Amino acid sequence: METPHSSPAADSSGTAVAPAVPEAVTLTLTVESPEQMQDLGRRLARVLAPGDLVMLTGELGAGKTTLTRGLGEGLGVRGAVTSPTFVIARVHPSLVEGPALVHVDAYRLGGGLDEMEDLDLDVSLPESVVVVEWGDGKVEELSEDRLRVLIDRATGDTDDERREVTLVGIGARWARLREELA
């Protein structure tokens, strides 16, 4: 008899085994200015490929769109990369035979992947690089392999432009993240 899909797998002794969790690789960088954030985006673009899902997390003004602008430059896409807050998603086609950049702002979307289905991200993902701002808890189901980018900045009454950027590569696709960005 076949084991039900919702049951945990069992090893040869019959002991339940938790499903495999994708491996994660973490890299933390300090960025001192918006120009450096944009440059980080250009550097990341060199390692991105069609099918990559990039999730950006950070407070308002942390630099998510600035990083994405650098990604767009590095990927060689058409159009100015600006915040898609009011349109939810923008597609920037490639000008250099590379993948398109799909830039999504999920800030106003409350639900999970169900609410985002109308955007057809699952259709766009295989041939595009999909970047989702505020995507945590909403788009993880799109891909086992994904890159989470967490941007932390000083809060309060400050003009400090320094950001701590933590890249978390989840899944086999990102196993060599440190080497690729070196």
Side-chain angles (χ1 to χ4, degrees):
M1 184 169 153
E2 194 173 308
T3 305
H5 293 290
S6 60
S7 300
D11 65 14
S12 59
S13 69
T15 304
V17 177
V21 175
E23 294 293 319
V25 174
T26 302
L27 176 63
T28 301
L29 307 164
T30 300
V31 174
E32 301 285 345
S33 67
E35 294 79 22
Q36 285 186 5
M37 184 68 78
Q38 201 162 334
D39 184 58
L40 175 59
R42 286 188 290 269
R43 287 177 44 212
L44 275 173
R46 292 194 303 256
V47 302
L48 293 175
D52 284 342
L53 174 62
V54 181
M55 298 167 46
L56 305 180
T57 301
E59 295 184 34
L60 289 170
K64 297 178 297 295
T65 299
T66 301
L67 178 75
T68 307
R69 189 172 298 119
L71 288 172
E73 288 176 10
L75 290 170
V77 299
R78 185 178 72 210
V81 175
T82 59
S83 178
T85 299
F86 297 104
V87 294
I88 309 298
R90 283 196 171 99
V91 178
H92 298 274
S94 176
L95 295 171
V96 294
E97 303 295 324
L101 172 66
V102 178
H103 185 197
V104 179
D105 187 331
Y107 183 75
R108 287 178 163 50
L109 303 177
L113 192 57
D114 290 342
E115 187 173 341
M116 297 192 69
E117 280 185 2
D118 288 341
L119 299 177
D120 287 332
L121 295 180
D122 55 335
V123 174
S124 301
L125 187 59
E127 67 271 354
S128 304
V129 170
V130 175
V131 175
V132 183
E133 296 185 25
W134 308 96
D136 284 350
K138 298 174 183 170
V139 297
E140 289 87 347
E141 295 174 27
L142 285 174
S143 178
E144 285 185 19
D145 296 312
R146 56 195 173 275
L147 180 63
R148 289 187 67 222
V149 180
L150 301 106
I151 305 172
D152 288 320
R153 67 176 180 94
T155 58
D157 188 18
T158 180
D159 58 359
D160 187 359
E161 293 185 342
R162 176 179 292 157
R163 308 291 195 256
E164 292 296 318
V165 180
T166 303
L167 307 171
V168 182
I170 300 167
R173 159 73 177 96
W174 298 104
R176 297 186 40 83
L177 179 63
R178 284 186 199 96
E179 294 85 8
E180 291 176 343
L181 283 178

